[in-house]
Amino acid sequence: MRIKAINPNTTLEMTENIGKVADRYTSDEVEVVAVSPERGPISIESYYDDYLAIPGLLEEIRKDEGDFDAFINACWGDPGIDACREVTEKPVVGIAEGSMYVANMLGARFSVATILPRAKDLIEETVLTTGLASKCASVRCTDLTVVETETARDAAVEALLEASTLAVEEDGAEAICLGCAGMGGLDEELEKALPVPVIDSVGAAAVLAEGLVRLGKSTSKVMTYKPPEPKEIKGYPDVFQFTEHAPSADD
């Protein structure tokens, strides 16, 4: 089994850590290939960054889609996740939805410990889109940038511990989702200091991606996630072109 973990930003140190975390949580017979797009923002901390990252993410799925059994969208905003599912039949798991699904099975309510306050609305929109807003106790932001979650690990642990403690004591959280791919590998240290489960979002997505492949499931193509209709798309590589008719529900 081969799983492609796509870091939608272009910080290669983070991509390497994403690969290590996903490899740690998947079975020995699973090969994890971690990549970043050739173009895009070095970090995703705003809607602008989020939208700019989507074309590169889609290109990474399309260009060698046949070589992989599943894909991981390794940014906590799950950028372009619905479009990702339109361009492949293979399972695509976002680390945000993956971590929230796992947290939802471990506690009645969860909180997200994440990055800068400016990203709070983006994070809350992701929770809402995933359908688990009623189970989310809070989104607790820190002063961490995305890059700092990778480069300043001690400071990241300190900031996340403070945010998570407030989420548990003041918001009633019974589980914590780490709300950035750069936080991969910090769950165990945080869990030692907290009375609740802490979910490594990349690890959760990797386990779920492998599980979907083992279940033999593929993305539904009956309606919403069927391939895009063929049309001219100017200025983009050939991998963005769809030439076959997308079947309708009546086909």
Side-chain angles (χ1 to χ4, degrees), residues 18-220:
I18 286 168
K20 290 176 182 178
V21 171
D23 186 64
R24 174 187 176 190
Y25 284 102
T26 48
S27 303
D28 291 341
E29 59 268 32
V30 176
E31 178 188 3
V32 175
V33 178
V35 300
S36 284
E38 294 181 4
R39 60 189 66 83
I42 63 168
S43 62
I44 300 174
E45 295 163 335
S46 65
Y47 285 108
Y48 181 73
D49 298 335
D50 190 78
Y51 294 170
L52 282 178
I54 293 172
L57 172 63
L58 294 172
E59 185 174 6
E60 283 297 331
I61 294 175
R62 286 283 289 166
K63 70 181 183 182
D64 51 8
E65 188 257 355
D67 296 335
F68 293 93
D69 300 291
F71 298 91
I72 296 171
N73 184 336
C75 171
W76 213 91
D78 290 350
I81 190 73
D82 293 311
C84 292
R85 289 172 176 149
E86 288 181 338
V87 302
T88 180
E89 293 185 352
K90 312 295 177 59
V92 182
V93 180
I95 66 170
E97 63 179 2
S99 65
M100 286 187 280
Y101 291 158
V102 170
N104 187 52
M105 291 184 279
L106 298 176
R109 303 188 79 202
F110 63 84
S111 286
V112 183
T114 189
I115 57 165
L116 300 169
R118 75 155 298 158
K120 186 174 183 179
D121 188 72
L122 191 157
I123 297 296
E124 290 177 340
E125 285 291 326
T126 303
V127 176
L128 186 64
T129 299
T130 307
L132 290 173
S134 65
K135 307 301 284 294
C136 183
S138 62
V139 172
R140 284 281 182 171
C141 294
T142 64
D143 60 355
L144 297 166
T145 67
V146 167
V147 173
E148 284 172 340
T149 66
E150 189 66 46
T151 61
R153 303 291 272 183
D154 291 342
V157 169
E158 183 178 350
L160 290 168
L161 180 57
E162 180 181 356
S164 299
T165 299
L166 291 172
V168 173
E169 294 180 352
E170 297 185 6
D171 307 328
E174 299 178 20
I176 299 293
C177 295
L178 296 182
C180 178
M183 298 170 185
L186 299 181
D187 56 310
E188 291 184 354
E189 187 170 355
L190 290 164
E191 204 166 75
K192 290 176 183 177
L194 293 166
V196 300
V198 178
I199 315 303
D200 185 313
S201 300
V202 173
V207 170
L208 290 174
E210 179 182 353
L212 289 171
V213 176
R214 294 198 180 281
L215 285 168
K217 303 306 176 186
S218 59
T219 299
S220 174

